[in-house]
Amino acid sequence: MSKVIANMTMSLDGFVSHPTDGVDHLFQWYASGDVPVRTADPKMTFRLSAASAERMNRAFEGIGVLLYGRRTFDESGGWIGGHPMGKPVIVVTHSIPDGWPRADTPVTFVTDGLESAMAQAKATAGDKAVAVGSADLTQQCLNLGLLDELQIDLVPLLLGDGIRFLDHISKTPLVLQEPSVIEGRGVTHLSYRVR
């Protein structure tokens, strides 16, 4: 059975996106090392520290499907041609955008709620993981008890404003298990199992 993980790059003050800079400062760690990590997009190669590269390659192998919200889909331009991870994408939305679905991009839209989207994501992922990649969906998954693991790529940055990763959690206090910690260059990778 698929496990459900949420993974986002986060500033020390808890933000995953800034109102004016977006994710530019947050994602600088993707170019902070010497080890190339190729993506499904031939024009995009990350350059990571050895520890981050090993973790990223394991993630690429272990994820079967990506689950996003509509805001992330819109901000990414719909990953025309496919997501850099080369995995199918399921987007939770209230309405399907004009011009979609597209034959050149493996994106599925689910309009009947998160639980339906999660069931479809698990069916698509098979024995691999479902990766949740948006703050709002992560919060909803935590509130509904749908999340197995929380992964944070913590960067030494204070954004001061923006979208918080772990806002609006209704089931608190929520105790997580002790983290696994991987030190990268410009990032600390934290993984917590949700009890």
Side-chain angles (χ1 to χ4, degrees):
M1 176 181 249
S2 298
K3 83 173 172 179
V4 180
I5 61 172
N7 175 273
M8 296 202 68
T9 297
M10 184 180 82
S11 66
L12 283 173
D13 53 350
F15 295 100
V16 295
S17 180
H18 189 269
T20 56
D21 293 332
V23 295
D24 291 347
H25 282 93
L26 287 163
F27 284 180
Q28 288 183 0
W29 71 272
Y30 283 115
S32 66
D34 303 322
V35 180
V37 175
R38 300 195 191 321
T39 69
D41 180 346
K43 296 176 289 208
M44 182 185 295
T45 298
F46 302 134
R47 299 203 63 80
L48 306 175
S49 68
S52 293
E54 181 180 339
R55 182 180 174 279
M56 182 75 69
N57 284 322
R58 275 197 324 267
F60 278 18
E61 293 169 10
I63 292 172
V65 67
L66 303 161
L67 186 65
Y68 286 104
R70 177 67 183 271
R71 179 178 59 221
T72 305
F73 170 83
D74 289 343
E75 288 175 357
S76 72
W79 304 285
I80 300 300
H83 190 280
M85 285 190 77
K87 308 294 181 181
V89 174
I90 294 177
V91 176
V92 182
T93 183
H94 295 291
S95 62
I96 298 172
D98 292 338
W100 291 87
R102 296 172 50 122
D104 66 339
T105 305
V107 174
T108 302
F109 297 91
V110 176
T111 58
D112 58 346
L114 175 57
E115 288 169 315
S116 174
M118 186 63 74
Q120 292 180 50
K122 286 184 173 188
T124 301
D127 61 350
K128 294 192 174 190
V130 173
V132 179
S134 81
D136 185 55
L137 287 183
T138 297
Q139 295 160 24
Q140 290 181 53
C141 285
L142 282 168
N143 290 334
L144 292 170
L146 299 175
L147 199 65
D148 299 309
E149 190 171 319
L150 185 60
Q151 298 178 354
I152 298 170
D153 300 318
L154 189 64
V155 294
L157 171 68
L158 299 173
L159 287 178
D161 193 13
I163 297 171
R164 285 197 179 277
F165 186 27
L166 299 170
D167 240 354
H168 312 296
I169 307 301
S170 62
K171 293 186 175 185
T172 55
L174 179 62
V175 178
L176 307 174
Q177 291 190 343
E178 291 295 316
S180 75
V181 180
I182 298 173
E183 291 290 336
R185 187 174 302 143
V187 62
T188 302
H189 307 285
L190 304 168
S191 296
Y192 300 88
R193 286 186 53 216
V194 179
R195 291 186 179 176

